[in-house]
Structures are given as structure tokens and as C-alpha cells.
Amino acid sequence: QVQVVESGGGLVQPGGSLRLSCAASGFTLDTYTITWFRQAPGKEREGVSCMRRRDGYTYSTYSVKGRFTISRDTAKNTVSLQMNSLKPEDTGVYYCAATRTSPIMSSWSNPDLYDVWGQGTQVTVSS
């Protein structure tokens, strides 16, 4: 069965770091575009960072540029999100999502493109 599972969330202080992992099963990960989404209380779900299938082109939302890095480990069939210099506004439930498409421009952050979703992992940044 095709699925993805997130791990690595937790509680950290502002300025701290977390590394999230998305493990894929039932498919070869690099044939899918993988995107991390997050949803804060009372807010809409937003795309955080994306790695496009095959060519590995990356996208990210402006607020995380220079702080978050997405990477792919084909041997382990995982995609990770390294989050540094965390801010309280980064708090939310983070989801890994996958699509067989190769999005361009802003389409990467459209949740409707994704047909495989993980269960989510909570990230809380607070002092």
C-alpha cells in the first residue's frame, strides 16, 4: 500500500532545530514530488518546502528560506526537512504529502495536487 509516515516533531525553544523525516513505502520516492505542509491553529494549510520528482528541484515558502532545507535520501526512501532557527510562528502540524506530478511555479503548494498524505507530526516552538 502506498503511504508516507512523518516523524521527528517535538517541542523546541525559539532558535532551536528539528529534523523531520518522511518515510515512503509502496512506491519509489523519487518518482513522486514530495512536499511538506503545515497547519497552525486557526490558519489554512500552507506549503512549506517541496522537492520535485526526478530532477530534485526545490521550492519553499518565503518565510522559511535560509532556515529550512529539504533533502532526499533515495537509498533510505526518505525525504527530510531540516529546520533551523525555529520561530514561534513555525508552530503547527507538519504533513508530508506526495504526488506523481511535476508541479511548476505556485502549483507545488496546492494541496489538491497531492493524493498521498501522512498523519502529521506536531512541531511546537515556544519558550
Side-chain angles (χ1 to χ4, degrees):
Q1 181 172 287
V2 173
Q3 64 177 13
V4 293
V5 178
E6 307 96 330
S7 62
L11 172 64
V12 297
Q13 294 184 341
S17 297
L18 283 173
R19 186 176 180 87
L20 306 183
S21 181
C22 174
S25 62
F27 66 98
T28 302
L29 189 146
D30 66 0
T31 67
Y32 280 66
T33 294
I34 306 295
T35 295
W36 288 95
F37 290 84
R38 68 185 178 191
Q39 188 163 22
K43 295 186 177 181
E44 296 295 313
R45 187 169 299 186
E46 67 169 342
V48 178
S49 190
C50 170
M51 178 166 285
R52 194 162 62 193
R53 66 189 297 271
R54 297 297 190 187
D55 64 14
Y57 191 89
T58 60
Y59 298 93
S60 64
T61 190
Y62 180 81
S63 65
V64 308
K65 289 185 183 296
R67 300 188 298 121
F68 291 10
T69 303
I70 190 168
S71 61
R72 180 172 63 201
D73 186 334
T74 56
K76 297 181 179 179
N77 216 33
T78 60
V79 168
S80 296
L81 184 68
Q82 179 66 46
M83 306 187 296
N84 298 326
S85 302
L86 283 161
K87 304 175 181 180
E89 50 264 46
D90 295 318
T91 293
V93 179
Y94 283 67
Y95 300 89
C96 179
T99 176
R100 287 170 288 182
T101 66
S102 298
I104 59 173
M105 304 294 286
S106 61
S107 62
W108 69 269
S109 61
N110 181 2
D112 292 340
L113 264 61
Y114 297 84
D115 46 21
V116 183
W117 290 82
Q119 82 288 351
T121 185
Q122 177 71 43
V123 172
T124 303
V125 185
S126 177
S127 59

